[in-house]
Amino acid sequence: MHSPDPNTPPPARALSLPEFVAMLAVLFATVAFSIDAMLPALSEIAAELSPEDTNRAQLVLMSFMAGMGVGTALAGPISDAIGRKRAIMLGSSLYILAAAGAIFADNLTLLLALRFFQGMGASGPRIAGTALTRDLYAGREMARITSFVMMIFIMIPAVAPALGELIIETSGTWRSVFAAFIVFGLIGATWVALRQPETLPPERRVPLSRKRLMQSAKEILGNRQVMLCTLILTLGFGQMFALLSSSEQLFGQTYSRADSFTRWFAVMALLSGIGTIANARYVMKFGMRRIARAAYAMQVVSASLALLLVSSGALHGDAAFYGFFAWAVSVFFMAGVTFGNLNALALQNMPHLAGMTASIVAALSSLGAVLIATPVGLAYDGTPTPMIIAALVCSSLAWLLMARLRD
């Protein structure tokens, strides 16, 4: 099995740190933008393509995530074999082509299929970008860099729903959102092509042979630290995506904030960004594991209190909405504190298989999150109760599993 040579120097960091962080933020934000900009379009998609069952419009988000799950299983090994830049270009091309096809989709089945391929394409920049980061940084330093990326990344969920709404209102159709995806994909791909040097030299690449892939997968799946991080990420991502997939219905139907949904969503994303700022500031001092476990403990308390208030009917009217909003912010805050740390912990001891490790972690956690989020989202009953229960259960399990991790 190929192992890292301790005498081999790390790749040169050609870009300045601010530009590197900004470029990574754009690559990572491809996923968030592709999900959040669709939120204002779901009701129109439901009315046009699935009027008999409006809940099925949520599958536009789920199909993208399912594609991400499959794509991430391929993107890492491909990036280990052909290099980070070429993997990013390949994924971006698929993403852009699928978005172009979705503009002309005339039924929900076709749209879901194209969203699936769009998710597969988005996995290229996301996974190869993570491996590229691990080529240059490790451990707490990687977690700190990831937190810097998340500070910018968090702006995308803040503005994406409003931008999606503006695009729909200006063009008169939800299909124009996919044109924006094409532009966004081109920006990231062009930036990498023109500015980012390759970080994986030919002598460190892992050929795409069946035997080598099986050996690498066996090593990764047999690594206790990687698998624990993957399971914890699944629980964290699942509860967050369950809330995200029902957010338009919760804001619009449950709390009668349909007209101001995008503004409230922007405020929620910006407030939750405090988590990434705090993590970047304190991760070097307290470590990745302690901070992430504290975040899950916080969510256990927050979800318990929210469930008590909702089930007892103690809050009404505006007070009920503000209570829900505060809990929703806490879910996204938890994501900002935990996700970068857990990815850094998973890749910490796997520099020689950074791409494939990032793939397996992301693929398993994404697919697992879809399995959690889909039934929770479809269980929407006019209240936030299903989402709160999911957050309570998932965060409790994640908190318990965090005790088994090592920094």
Side-chain angles (χ1 to χ4, degrees):
M1 173 59 60
H2 176 74
S3 60
D5 182 352
N7 298 316
T8 301
R13 301 172 184 176
L15 295 185
S16 67
L17 182 60
E19 183 180 357
F20 181 73
V21 167
M23 183 193 71
L24 275 182
V26 170
L27 293 179
F28 288 13
T30 302
V31 175
F33 185 61
S34 301
I35 295 171
D36 298 331
M38 289 302 301
L39 295 177
L42 293 182
S43 58
E44 292 192 21
I45 292 173
E48 182 176 339
L49 301 181
S50 184
E52 71 284 355
D53 186 358
T54 56
N55 264 6
R56 290 187 67 218
Q58 291 187 16
L59 297 176
V60 172
L61 305 181
M62 303 301 181
S63 60
F64 181 88
M65 288 304 304
M68 274 286 297
V70 174
T72 51
L74 304 173
I78 290 173
S79 77
D80 283 340
I82 67 175
R84 313 309 185 196
K85 287 185 67 172
R86 290 169 68 184
I88 290 172
M89 295 300 108
L90 184 63
S92 296
S93 298
L94 178 58
Y95 173 85
I96 291 168
L97 288 173
I103 295 175
F104 305 100
D106 59 359
N107 62 79
L108 186 60
T109 300
L110 178 57
L111 180 63
L112 294 179
L114 289 166
R115 283 287 283 176
F116 180 87
F117 286 113
Q118 196 183 12
M120 285 186 66
S123 67
R126 179 68 180 86
I127 297 303
T130 299
L132 187 153
T133 307
R134 181 60 187 87
D135 290 341
L136 302 175
Y137 302 94
R140 296 184 184 185
E141 189 179 16
M142 180 182 173
R144 184 167 174 262
I145 295 296
T146 304
S147 292
F148 285 139
V149 171
M150 291 294 290
M151 287 182 200
I152 302 175
F153 170 87
I154 205 69
M155 297 297 295
I156 300 300
V159 302
L163 181 58
E165 184 178 59
L166 178 63
I167 292 170
I168 293 169
E169 290 179 353
T170 302
S171 66
T173 174
W174 54 267
R175 298 175 188 275
S176 297
V177 177
F178 287 96
F181 293 157
I182 294 173
V183 173
F184 198 88
L186 285 171
I187 291 172
T190 303
W191 197 341
V192 172
L194 296 180
R195 296 289 297 159
Q196 175 61 50
E198 177 58 61
T199 59
L200 188 68
E203 63 270 16
R204 288 182 52 208
R205 295 178 187 177
V206 182
L208 280 174
S209 68
R210 183 173 179 273
K211 180 180 179 181
R212 185 66 69 91
L213 288 174
M214 291 295 290
Q215 289 176 330
S216 299
K218 183 178 179 181
E219 179 182 352
I220 294 166
L221 293 173
N223 187 291
R224 180 176 176 273
Q225 182 92 344
V226 172
M227 289 297 98
L228 277 173
C229 289
T230 302
L231 181 54
I232 296 167
L233 278 168
T234 299
L235 294 167
F237 196 19
Q239 61 184 292
M240 186 190 74
F241 199 67
L243 171 61
L244 185 64
S245 64
S246 298
S247 59
E248 187 187 35
Q249 290 171 300
L250 284 164
F251 278 85
Q253 298 176 20
T254 304
Y255 297 108
S256 303
R257 258 77 174 181
D259 293 340
S260 57
F261 164 64
T262 57
R263 293 190 293 275
W264 281 109
F265 195 91
V267 173
M268 180 172 66
L270 291 173
L271 288 175
S272 64
I274 297 171
T276 63
I277 296 172
N279 192 64
R281 181 172 181 179
Y282 295 112
V283 69
M284 300 298 286
K285 179 178 180 180
F286 295 109
M288 299 169 282
R289 186 185 66 83
R290 288 175 63 189
I291 289 178
R293 194 171 192 228
Y296 284 119
M298 174 210 71
Q299 184 51 224
V300 170
V301 174
S302 178
S304 297
L305 180 60
L307 184 61
L308 177 63
L309 291 174
V310 170
S311 60
S312 67
L315 300 179
H316 304 278
D318 287 346
F321 169 72
Y322 291 127
F324 158 76
F325 182 77
W327 170 72
V329 169
S330 76
V331 174
F332 283 86
F333 179 94
M334 173 206 70
V337 170
T338 59
F339 289 179
N341 289 342
L342 287 165
N343 273 292
L345 283 166
L347 271 67
Q348 185 166 245
N349 299 317
M350 308 296 289
H352 55 300
L353 293 172
M356 191 166 183
T357 303
S359 265
I360 288 177
V361 171
L364 294 180
S365 61
S366 296
L367 290 174
V370 169
L371 293 177
I372 293 172
T374 299
V376 176
L378 294 176
Y380 170 74
D381 58 0
T383 76
T385 300
M387 295 78 200
I388 297 173
I389 292 175
L392 178 59
V393 172
C394 288
S395 290
S396 297
L397 292 174
W399 180 79
L400 291 172
L401 290 171
M402 285 296 306
R404 297 176 175 268
L405 283 178
R406 300 185 304 274
D407 245 337

